[in-house]
Amino acid sequence: MKYIDEYRDADAVGRLADRLATEVTRPWTIMEICGGQTHAIVRFGIDELLPDGVTLVHGPGCPVCVTSAATIDAALDLAARPDVIFCSFGDMLRVPGSKMDLLTIRAGGGDVRTVYSPMDAVGIAQDNPEKKVVFFAIGFETTAPTTAMAVYYAARENIGNFSLLVSHVLVIPAMEAILSSPESSINGFLAAGHVCTVTGYNAYHAVAEKYRTPIVVTGFEPLDLMRGIYACVRQLESGKYEVDNQYARAVRPEGNIPALNTIDRVFEICDREWRGLGTIPHSGLKLKNEYAGHDAELIFNVKPVISAESSVCISGRILQGAAKPPQCPAFGKQCTPEHPLGATMVSSEGACAAYYRYRPSHNRKE
Amino acid sequence: MCIAVPGQIKSITGGDPMELRGVVDFGGVEREIMLSFAPEAKIGDWVLVHAGFAITIIDEDSARQTLADFDQILGEADANGEPH
């Protein structure tokens, strides 16, 4: 087993789609939460294999996309300081704030470094005691334990020049915000498999019950995705709304206890502004007071600012599954991956960027 | 962003969970990663790695079961004479 190729059998995926077609009697709309899944669905054409009536809509699960322009502006300010080494996952470098991006800051002389792991940024802090090293802590519950461990380790080892600019987001509050929206047409969810490796899925039972919506924990390979969709449609056709784990090789009901404990040790829940969606209560993580010495917002006295978003861009509606990328008047015209106007075009995992890359027939450049 | 890549553990070093590391083979490319969140992992185990940390151990039995279930679903389809 290599745990990749076995789950990419195109013939089997197509046959399962055919099987699904024989079981569908009514139209259903299913949202995949995770940007990684959106990317895989569009890349492998999973949505185009589905029978008429089964529609996938793409959710807000791209943390690169939903990091607010105000937070990115704060990152740009820090990265431009001569006393700072600013470390980030590579995905964030091209994401525009209200005026520019981290690559522009680097071109202008800022010390902006791409790291593979937050622990690499801790190492950079140890190697550069005369500098202040800031790591841009974005991501869902999958990533939060890794930044939590970095700051926990830095505190334990007295690495005082290491800090986090935190913009972590949580999945369930976003799901609830979408389900509560009057525009919501979602009948079922594919829950993000990798988030669930950390969180488990026990907390989803209450959501499935409250909104009478099936939630299927789903993996990322074509076969996993088709299985998740198939399991979700089967529940919908039989009137069920249960939590089902179709990614059992990686996800346990209770999640990853050491990872959850590390999150709890370092972070607490806060309100968070999402790009395209606005502020969602209790949807983010921030550092606890005892880690204030490693909190870049406090160290550098980052002031909250209001950053304007494009008035043409409909990414907010796309993130809620209320619209698809080609419906936006700016898609492929003023708004491209090189010059994104909004959240869903800024990262390759955003729905607009995925359509732009893999569905050239939808690109309407004039 | 929440991408996690499967790889197989080749060696393990360190005892303190915060220092627990392993060398993982990703299809021929080896890389040292943290095992703090998979302290029970053993050499030979497959793990999913995200941002330099193993976030879960892949359960081989479940992985095989998933493929077997799939064959069963498609087998039923074939038995019913449904189209491929």
Side-chain angles (χ1 to χ4, degrees):
Chain A
M1 298 279 283
K2 300 287 180 203
Y3 302 102
I4 293 179
D5 298 347
E6 299 89 341
Y7 300 92
R8 288 193 178 173
D9 178 346
D11 175 59
V13 173
R15 288 166 65 201
L16 187 57
D18 292 341
R19 167 84 182 184
L20 177 63
T22 67
E23 301 192 20
V24 176
T25 63
R26 276 168 289 169
W28 301 111
T29 300
I30 298 170
M31 174 178 274
E32 86 279 357
I33 316 268
C34 173
Q37 291 175 330
T38 301
H39 188 96
I41 284 164
V42 181
R43 175 182 170 199
F44 293 109
I46 303 291
D47 52 334
E48 295 181 325
L49 289 174
L50 296 177
D52 290 344
V54 177
T55 306
L56 288 180
V57 292
H58 317 302
C62 165
V64 176
C65 300
V66 300
T67 301
S68 73
T71 302
I72 294 184
D73 287 344
L76 299 174
D77 279 350
L78 296 182
R81 291 175 58 116
D83 56 340
V84 164
I85 300 174
F86 194 86
C87 299
S88 169
F89 294 124
D91 322 41
M92 289 307 288
L93 297 198
R94 286 183 49 254
V95 181
S98 38
K99 293 194 183 69
M100 57 178 103
D101 59 26
L102 284 165
L103 279 181
T104 314
I105 298 288
R106 179 152 80 186
D111 193 345
V112 177
R113 302 191 191 181
T114 305
V115 294
Y116 165 66
S117 168
M119 296 303 288
D120 297 341
V122 177
I124 291 171
Q126 287 175 301
D127 294 341
N128 296 274
E130 76 292 353
K131 293 278 193 172
K132 294 169 180 164
V133 175
V134 181
F135 180 74
F136 200 177
I138 67 144
F140 282 100
E141 292 94 327
T142 325
T143 315
T146 71
T147 66
M149 184 56 93
V151 85
Y152 182 70
Y153 182 83
R156 192 184 80 161
E157 301 297 316
N158 292 317
I159 305 166
N161 63 329
F162 176 78
S163 62
L164 296 182
L165 177 63
V166 182
S167 187
H168 284 304
V169 280
L170 302 173
V171 168
I172 286 184
M175 285 172 73
E176 292 217 60
I178 289 165
L179 285 167
S180 311
S181 158
E183 274 204 292
S184 172
S185 57
I186 292 151
N187 303 116
F189 272 109
L190 305 185
H194 291 152
V195 167
C196 293
T197 64
V198 172
T199 61
Y201 53 87
N202 287 333
Y204 286 123
H205 292 292
V207 181
E209 186 72 27
K210 180 175 175 186
Y211 297 95
R212 303 170 77 87
T213 302
I215 300 173
V216 180
V217 179
T218 301
F220 291 75
E221 296 300 333
L223 209 53
D224 292 315
L225 289 159
M226 193 57 87
R227 263 188 78 104
I229 296 161
Y230 180 73
C232 195
V233 169
R234 281 204 123 177
Q235 282 203 53
L236 290 165
E237 286 285 340
S238 58
K240 291 182 182 164
Y241 42 90
E242 293 169 358
V243 179
D244 178 19
N245 182 12
Q246 291 288 335
Y247 197 33
R249 68 182 182 277
V251 174
R252 330 282 176 247
E254 71 283 5
N256 184 323
I257 301 297
L260 289 170
N261 287 343
T262 306
I263 292 176
D264 285 346
R265 194 176 285 148
V266 170
F267 292 124
E268 61 190 21
I269 289 173
C270 64
D271 297 346
R272 173 76 64 214
E273 184 191 349
W274 296 52
R275 193 171 203 158
L277 291 179
T279 298
I280 303 176
H282 314 301
S283 69
L285 295 172
K286 64 172 187 172
L287 284 166
K288 288 183 172 174
N289 276 340
E290 61 186 289
Y291 293 94
H294 297 280
D295 188 338
E297 279 194 58
L298 300 174
I299 295 167
F300 298 98
N301 194 21
V302 173
K303 296 269 190 272
V305 287
I306 307 293
S307 298
E309 296 198 24
S310 158
S311 55
V312 217
C313 168
I314 61 165
S315 62
R317 299 188 65 234
I318 291 171
L319 288 169
Q320 297 177 70
K324 293 253 185 167
Q327 291 172 256
C328 177
F331 178 76
K333 294 196 277 187
Q334 305 99 301
C335 185
T336 63
E338 290 73 34
H339 298 285
L341 288 185
T344 41
M345 191 64 98
V346 298
S347 150
S348 66
E349 292 184 3
C352 292
Y355 274 68
Y356 188 89
R357 178 164 174 193
Y358 295 113
R359 301 282 155 80
S361 61
H362 288 154
N363 298 351
R364 299 185 300 174
K365 224 168 198 170
E366 287 168 4
Chain B
M1 172 72 214
C2 288
I3 291 304
V5 181
Q8 190 173 29
I9 299 177
K10 293 294 171 192
S11 62
I12 296 175
T13 51
D16 172 1
M18 283 175 59
E19 305 282 356
L20 196 57
R21 292 161 200 270
V23 172
V24 169
D25 176 12
F26 300 98
V29 179
E30 292 195 350
R31 180 154 211 166
E32 189 180 68
I33 57 112
M34 300 291 294
L35 291 172
S36 316
F37 303 137
E40 71 280 30
K42 301 183 297 294
I43 292 170
D45 282 350
W46 283 75
V47 287
L48 282 178
V49 176
H50 171 74
F53 286 77
I55 53 169
T56 193
I57 300 170
I58 300 176
D59 182 69
E60 188 175 341
D61 292 341
S62 298
R64 290 190 192 285
Q65 190 61 46
T66 297
L67 295 171
D69 290 350
F70 203 78
D71 288 342
Q72 193 192 341
I73 295 169
L74 294 177
E76 285 169 17
D78 291 345
N80 294 337
E82 285 156 12
H84 280 195

